[in-house]
Amino acid sequence: MAAPTVLMGAVAYDPKVVTIWEGFRAWLRGRGLAFDFVLYSHYERQVEDLVAGRIDAAWNSPLAWLRAERLAAANGTAVHALTMRDTDQDLTSIVVVRADSPVRQVADLAGGVVAVGAVDSPQATLIPLAHLASAGVEVDVRRFDIGVGLHGDHIGGERDAARALVAGAVDAACMIDGNHLAFVREGTLPPEGTRIVAQTARYDHCNMTVREPESAGVRLFGTLLLGMSYADPQVRPLLDLEGLTAWRDGRSTGYDALAGAVDATGFYSPDGRVTATDYRP
């Protein structure tokens, strides 16, 4: 009898998601894994389907990982992080001002206007705003809600926050450190036109979330992902599109900052219900 198909969920935040996982599917099937994927329009349904057992794995945002943990525990089950990208580990978010700004330190932002990404962006909204709050700095927040439900994977809101900073409409903007560099490269931010006034502690980003206990197919899925080589011409273009050079063992130790922000804002309840009043994916 044929082995059961491992069914993975991914959120379609960009057309490249189809290209990536169609390519990975062919590679995985060529190495003996019965594998397929389904696409979701937002993370909340993907998490619910994973916990309910309708899919075997979910390529989750950090916010979706936290909800999966809570929802699974409330249902008497458990999930864990099977794998993650090398580029998902030890990231930071930053608060940026214009180079000509009178703001010299984070305390100077008190009472100012700070631009952030979408309401559900861990890196451009939840984590940096929690960082400012922990420093005792109260600000007026201007949010750019683009791609709500995609948990910041669509960086349009983050980019618009950067544009608002350049235009002088806000005093500062929040973004992940890697996008600060990307926005300079693409011309959204002028070279040497900004300064960093605050940087968060390190945190982790996406992971491949699976239910416990793992099936034999899911274990093979993890083993094959970890065995992908950047030197392999079949997968290298796909790895580039997905933004990694190697898969790593999953870990759950890098989500404390986001969990604190989720609790402080009431984004999710302790049992995994969506409780943010202005969040409608």
Side-chain angles (χ1 to χ4, degrees), residues 115-204:
V116 300
V119 61
D120 56 341
S121 173
Q123 65 266 14
T125 304
L126 291 165
I127 291 175
L129 287 182
H131 180 79
L132 290 177
S134 70
V137 178
E138 295 186 9
V139 298
D140 291 329
V141 176
R142 183 175 176 188
R143 206 171 68 211
F144 291 86
D145 276 331
I146 296 179
V148 174
L150 303 180
H151 291 189
D153 286 352
H154 189 299
I155 64 170
E158 198 169 339
R159 183 178 283 113
D160 281 355
R163 288 171 174 156
L165 177 67
V166 173
V170 298
D171 299 302
C174 300
M175 61 198 71
I176 199 167
D177 52 4
N179 280 342
H180 182 233
L181 298 174
F183 293 160
V184 172
R185 286 195 300 268
E186 72 186 21
T188 298
L189 292 175
E192 301 182 1
T194 57
R195 285 187 288 105
I196 297 170
V197 294
Q199 186 166 24
T200 69
R202 295 183 182 275
Y203 59 84
D204 285 353

Side-chain angles (χ1 to χ4, degrees), residues 57-82:
W59 184 217
N60 269 342
S61 75
L63 193 58
W65 156 253
L66 289 181
R67 188 179 182 215
E69 268 195 317
R70 296 176 183 208
L71 201 59
N75 283 271
T77 58
V79 295
H80 72 272
L82 182 70

Side-chain angles (χ1 to χ4, degrees), residues 27-75:
W27 188 90
L28 292 164
R29 285 179 171 179
R31 282 149 184 82
L33 178 67
F35 174 83
D36 207 350
F37 67 96
V38 292
L39 297 178
Y40 289 84
S41 61
H42 60 79
Y43 277 104
E44 308 310 332
R45 180 163 295 158
Q46 175 171 291
V47 168
E48 291 163 6
D49 280 1
L50 174 69
V51 173
R54 289 185 282 269
I55 56 177
D56 301 297
W59 184 217
N60 269 342
S61 75
L63 193 58
W65 156 253
L66 289 181
R67 188 179 182 215
E69 268 195 317
R70 296 176 183 208
L71 201 59
N75 283 271

